[in-house]
Amino acid sequence: MRSFRWFVLIISSSVAFLSALAQTPQAPPANRIDKVKDDLYVISGDGGNTTVFVTDEGLVLVDDKFDRDYDDILAKIKTVSDKPVKYIFNTHPHPDHTGGNQKFPPSVIIIGHTNNPVGMARRKAPAPPTVTFSEEMAITLGGKQVLARHTGNGHTDADLMVYFPSDKVLAAGDLFNTGTFGVYIDYAGGGSLLPWPKTLEGFLKWDFDTVVPGHGPLATRADFIKSRADVEATITRITGMVREGKTKEDVTKVLIGEFGWNPAGLGIRNSVEGLMAELKK
């Protein structure tokens, strides 16, 4: 009987430990800053990538991660420049790209697509862009030009990319990701896979050789072009499967096995049913 009590005590303690472990939130990944060009850097780690463009009159950021990253972003920036942040471009409304908006002072001009404030309001997210545009916008700071463009829907209905002509660098947002993040179509946020290839094609008019993805390591123009081809191939393959009456499980296996979608990623978790419905029409 005594042995049985000890057995029950050990099992109970183990269950309590595992339960506590499961409820303990994991620490977010550490951020780091790396040089892309002499006046352009990327802060990677937690949330989406943050692009930092340095001029003599101040800084331009593309995306600002979660709100919890604000202090660390400023600390990382101070290692490369003592200039203040003047502009922030939000590539789309998701909080891993816009969360820091609320902590920057009112003097910082936040820019986004016309649909961005609507998308942030839907999520009850604070501090949407105060300056918006529908197709293209240009700013000049410290004698350097920065261009932003919206060419159509894809990840959301508010996607834009930002181009730095002097460096031939494109900051892509989640229309283009590398590493394990993969493709995620936010159907509730106006996303759609069918126009995605044409949306990407619109940015190829810019002369860039380096791409800062929404998530993941830096990429090249060739990688960007391949991504567009992969999306087209996905549309063709899954459309055929849907018309053949294949199940969600069948489609999921193909997306993972043939197109490399992350089995644990947002695309597999949240986009498959919407994708099948879209391609069924």
Side-chain angles (χ1 to χ4, degrees):
M1 183 63 69
R2 183 178 180 183
S3 297
F4 178 74
R5 291 197 191 99
W6 275 109
F7 175 76
V8 171
L9 179 61
I10 292 171
I11 293 298
S12 300
S13 299
S14 298
V15 169
F17 172 76
L18 292 174
S19 176
L21 186 63
Q23 295 176 16
T24 302
Q26 292 184 339
N31 292 316
R32 55 178 288 174
I33 186 167
D34 295 289
K35 180 187 285 190
V36 181
K37 299 290 177 76
D38 286 342
D39 57 358
L40 192 143
Y41 300 80
V42 60
I43 302 175
S44 58
D46 193 28
N49 288 328
T50 294
T51 301
V52 182
F53 186 56
V54 180
T55 82
D56 293 338
E57 295 180 4
L59 309 179
V60 179
L61 304 187
V62 180
D63 292 335
D64 50 29
K65 300 183 178 291
F66 293 107
D67 61 346
R68 66 191 179 213
D69 295 299
Y70 174 77
D71 290 336
D72 195 29
I73 287 175
L74 291 189
K76 295 290 187 294
I77 287 173
K78 286 180 181 178
T79 66
V80 299
S81 174
D82 60 358
K83 302 298 182 183
V85 175
K86 293 288 189 177
Y87 296 93
I88 300 173
F89 286 90
N90 288 160
T91 59
H92 60 285
H94 292 164
D96 55 331
H97 296 260
T98 65
N101 287 5
Q102 60 187 302
K103 294 191 174 179
F104 280 91
S107 58
V108 177
I109 298 173
I110 301 176
I111 303 171
H113 183 260
T114 305
N115 291 334
N116 194 311
V118 178
M120 291 184 68
R122 187 186 300 117
R123 293 171 168 270
K124 299 182 179 180
T130 52
V131 175
T132 62
F133 67 93
S134 59
E135 294 182 2
E136 187 164 310
M137 182 174 179
I139 64 169
T140 299
L141 185 65
K144 299 178 180 180
Q145 189 180 49
V146 181
L147 303 175
R149 178 179 289 169
H150 169 83
T151 63
N153 295 9
H155 178 56
T156 70
D157 64 0
D159 297 313
L160 62 84
M161 294 192 187
V162 182
Y163 176 50
F164 303 92
S166 60
D167 289 331
K168 294 187 176 182
V169 172
L170 180 68
D174 283 357
L175 278 168
F176 173 75
N177 292 298
T178 59
T180 60
F181 188 87
V183 175
Y184 167 41
I185 311 148
D186 180 6
Y187 283 103
S192 177
L193 192 68
L194 280 173
W196 201 309
K198 187 176 180 180
T199 297
L200 292 180
E201 183 179 356
F203 299 106
L204 290 171
K205 298 175 183 178
W206 280 333
D207 181 21
F208 61 89
D209 56 33
T210 304
V211 186
V212 179
H215 298 258
L218 295 178
T220 65
R221 185 182 183 90
D223 296 326
F224 189 89
I225 293 172
K226 182 180 182 301
S227 172
R228 180 183 175 278
D230 288 344
V231 174
E232 283 191 322
T234 301
I235 292 171
T236 300
R237 180 77 166 93
I238 303 306
T239 298
M241 294 186 69
V242 170
R243 291 176 179 174
E244 292 170 3
K246 299 297 184 181
T247 66
K248 179 182 176 181
E249 289 70 24
D250 295 329
V251 170
T252 298
K253 288 179 182 178
V254 167
L255 290 172
I256 294 171
E258 295 185 20
F259 297 102
W261 285 36
N262 183 352
L266 287 172
I268 291 297
R269 298 198 324 254
N270 298 334
S271 300
V272 178
E273 289 184 0
L275 172 61
M276 294 179 68
E278 178 182 10
L279 299 181
K280 189 176 182 179
K281 296 177 182 179

